Amino acid sequence: MSTHIEDHQSDPNSRFKKEMQTRHIVMLALGGVIGTGLFLTSGYTVNQAGPLGAVIAYIIGAVMVYLVMVCLGELAVQMPETGSFSSYATRYLGPGTGYTVAWLYWLTWAVAIGSEFTAAGILMVRWFPDTPVWIWSALFAIAVFLSNVVSVRWFAETEFWLSLIKVLTVITFIAIGGAAIFGLIQVQSLQGAGLSNFTREGLFPTGFLPIAMTLLAVSFAFSGTELIGIAAGEAQDPQTSVPKAIRTTVVRLALFFVGTIFVLATLLPREQAGLVESPFVMVFELIGIPYSADIMNFVILTALISAANSGLYAASRMLWTLSDQGHMPKRYARLSSRGAPVNAIVLSMAGAVASLLSSVFAPDTVYLALVSISGLAVVVVWMSIAASQIAFRRQYVANGGRVEDLHFRVRGYPWVPIGALLCCLLACVGIAFDPEQRVALYFGLPFIAWCYFVYWITRNKRAERLALAAAVHSSGTA
């Protein structure tokens, strides 16, 4: 593998290899979304909001992600850039906002990657009880690092097959669960269940507020769809592949998530659906599928590796964007001869390792703050996408552009981006009423303020970097 690093030139996307096909982008988005949020924490939503409340919460989540993604689609097709929503926020909402969005998104994935490696190591100990967790975590970290460093094509193919395993598992779960619900599979332990879970304690046994309170968890479960925007800068034909990927992904996610929650809420009593065990395992065991725990152990393992894989990709592209905009040293905007931002990947992996270590040595202080900030960050990033689309459309029309000429446009403007903003705001308001999730506001809001402050005090240094880069480039082409 070549380790030669090439200087980044004036065209920010000219060095990236345009090797991602539509199937890669679709599976990248699905793979980034279908993970522990669905396989593990979906039971938490059923437990907190009740069966019907959980279904409603995921329907709201599906609507929210649809509204956000069509906004991102208009931006990404018109401006397919690797920086994606960070670049759009910089251009249309202000450089301070773009800077903050980039760091929020980077931190989200850095924290997630570290936790994925830890969880994957713990799962392997189930099969190999005499081995330490850290060995497996290190092996998975090396594999994910190589997947990202070799080339974007290698990364895309790896992510495609890892995601396919998860998608097939979800489809199988919904099919088998649906057969059990409608009596096509005779299961003794589920006889007489029917839809009684929805009425046994009343339609809303925990009230209406828990529906709003679980929206942050639901939003976190849907996070990863926005990877479509980042991948647009490395897509072969973004004007064709991005719209198709958005439509395909959003529809599939709505069916997968709402269908899964419906099956879980129907087959599992609310008080049994928690975080102790994967609700998928519980349902499979109720139905009588042999080796259920081992099967789901393998699937969740692939989900963790897939999430870490796509997370490292997203995090490294955010660092590349920050460097490209002059916020970080130029070396993080350099690419290998294969088109990979190696330095940005190394630093992102170092951030993930630091997050992992903080979970071991400072779980109640540093790690708690990191997790809290990352939980809120996804919703803030989505809000920036909707706000950027509103600002873009206004500027586009003001400059004489015709809406009909957009290759992909938001229908129902401005109500679609406004609806996206309101849904995201509802998720933020909901967590304010939950003592366990409220800490996300305590740490998240000060972190956002800190990002704006750092941007303000470093603006002169950034201007010097950009001026130096421009001078070097002009002398090199003279």
Side-chain angles (χ1 to χ4, degrees), residues 307-328:
N309 197 35
S310 57
L312 185 58
Y313 171 83
S316 64
R317 269 54 180 181
M318 282 297 108
L319 287 187
W320 178 90
T321 301
L322 286 166
S323 178
D324 180 59
Q325 294 174 349
H327 299 301
M328 294 181 65

Side-chain angles (χ1 to χ4, degrees), residues 244-447:
K244 185 176 180 181
I246 286 176
R247 294 189 188 100
T248 304
T249 303
V250 171
V251 170
R252 288 178 182 174
L253 285 177
L255 293 174
F256 290 167
F257 275 75
V258 176
T260 296
I261 288 297
F262 177 78
V263 170
L264 292 178
T266 304
L267 298 181
L268 288 182
R270 182 185 65 84
E271 53 273 22
Q272 290 184 22
L275 292 173
V276 178
E277 185 179 21
S278 167
F280 278 65
V281 174
M282 296 175 69
V283 169
F284 279 150
E285 287 180 343
L286 282 172
I287 294 173
I289 295 178
Y291 306 108
S292 299
D294 285 318
I295 292 172
M296 283 311 302
N297 202 58
F298 172 74
V299 172
I300 294 173
L301 184 64
T302 62
L304 293 168
I305 298 171
S306 169
N309 197 35
S310 57
L312 185 58
Y313 171 83
S316 64
R317 269 54 180 181
M318 282 297 108
L319 287 187
W320 178 90
T321 301
L322 286 166
S323 178
D324 180 59
Q325 294 174 349
H327 299 301
M328 294 181 65
K330 184 183 176 183
R331 61 179 175 272
Y332 296 108
R334 293 173 184 162
L335 307 176
S336 71
S337 57
R338 294 172 179 262
V342 177
N343 292 331
I345 292 172
V346 170
L347 185 57
S348 296
M349 181 62 82
V353 172
S355 170
L356 191 158
L357 293 175
S358 73
S359 69
V360 177
F361 297 107
D364 298 325
T365 52
V366 178
Y367 187 66
L368 176 63
L370 293 176
V371 171
S372 301
I373 294 168
S374 66
L376 184 66
V378 171
V379 179
V380 174
V381 167
W382 286 3
M383 293 177 78
S384 77
I385 291 171
S388 295
Q389 191 275 328
I390 293 174
F392 159 74
R393 179 72 74 89
R394 285 178 178 172
Q395 182 174 313
Y396 178 77
V397 173
N399 291 336
R402 296 173 66 249
V403 175
E404 295 77 13
D405 294 337
L406 293 170
H407 292 282
F408 182 93
R409 66 180 183 273
V410 173
R411 301 180 187 277
Y413 174 90
W415 303 113
V416 166
I418 290 174
L421 287 170
L422 290 176
C423 286
C424 292
L425 188 61
L426 180 62
C428 294
V429 171
I431 64 174
F433 292 94
D434 186 351
E436 294 183 6
Q437 297 186 85
R438 199 178 297 152
V439 67
L441 296 176
Y442 295 155
F443 287 110
L445 295 180
F447 180 79

Side-chain angles (χ1 to χ4, degrees), residues 25-27 29-30 33-34 58-73 222 224-226 228 242-259 382 408:
I25 299 175
V26 170
M27 280 300 183
L30 288 175
V33 178
I34 300 175
Y58 271 86
I59 290 175
I60 294 174
V63 171
M64 178 165 49
V65 78
Y66 169 76
L67 297 176
V68 172
M69 285 308 107
V70 292
C71 291
L72 179 59
F222 276 110
T225 341
E226 67 285 336
I228 292 174
V242 172
K244 185 176 180 181
I246 286 176
R247 294 189 188 100
T248 304
T249 303
V250 171
V251 170
R252 288 178 182 174
L253 285 177
L255 293 174
F256 290 167
F257 275 75
V258 176
W382 286 3
F408 182 93

Side-chain angles (χ1 to χ4, degrees), residues 78-203:
Q78 192 71 10
M79 301 164 286
E81 300 176 12
T82 300
S84 190
F85 35 83
S86 172
S87 297
Y88 308 145
T90 297
R91 191 172 303 164
Y92 298 108
L93 303 179
T97 302
Y99 176 83
T100 301
V101 165
W103 277 118
L104 280 170
Y105 200 66
W106 181 86
L107 183 66
T108 295
W109 282 114
V111 173
I113 295 167
S115 61
E116 314 286 9
F117 290 146
T118 303
I122 292 171
L123 287 178
M124 289 302 293
V125 172
R126 171 187 171 89
W127 291 321
F128 303 95
D130 296 329
T131 57
V133 172
W134 71 266
I135 288 182
W136 295 110
S137 297
L139 288 174
F140 290 134
I142 292 170
V144 166
F145 177 78
L146 291 175
S147 170
N148 275 265
V149 165
V150 172
S151 70
V152 69
R153 177 71 182 217
W154 181 269
F155 158 78
E157 285 295 334
T158 303
E159 190 58 30
F160 175 84
W161 292 107
L162 288 172
S163 298
L164 186 61
I165 294 173
K166 298 186 288 187
V167 169
L168 293 176
T169 302
V170 172
I171 293 173
T172 302
F173 175 80
I174 293 174
I176 294 175
I181 291 170
F182 293 106
L184 300 178
I185 298 177
Q186 296 299 321
V187 184
Q188 186 67 33
S189 59
L190 293 177
Q191 281 184 355
L195 299 177
S196 62
N197 280 344
F198 287 87
T199 57
R200 181 169 54 88
E201 300 177 287
L203 292 179

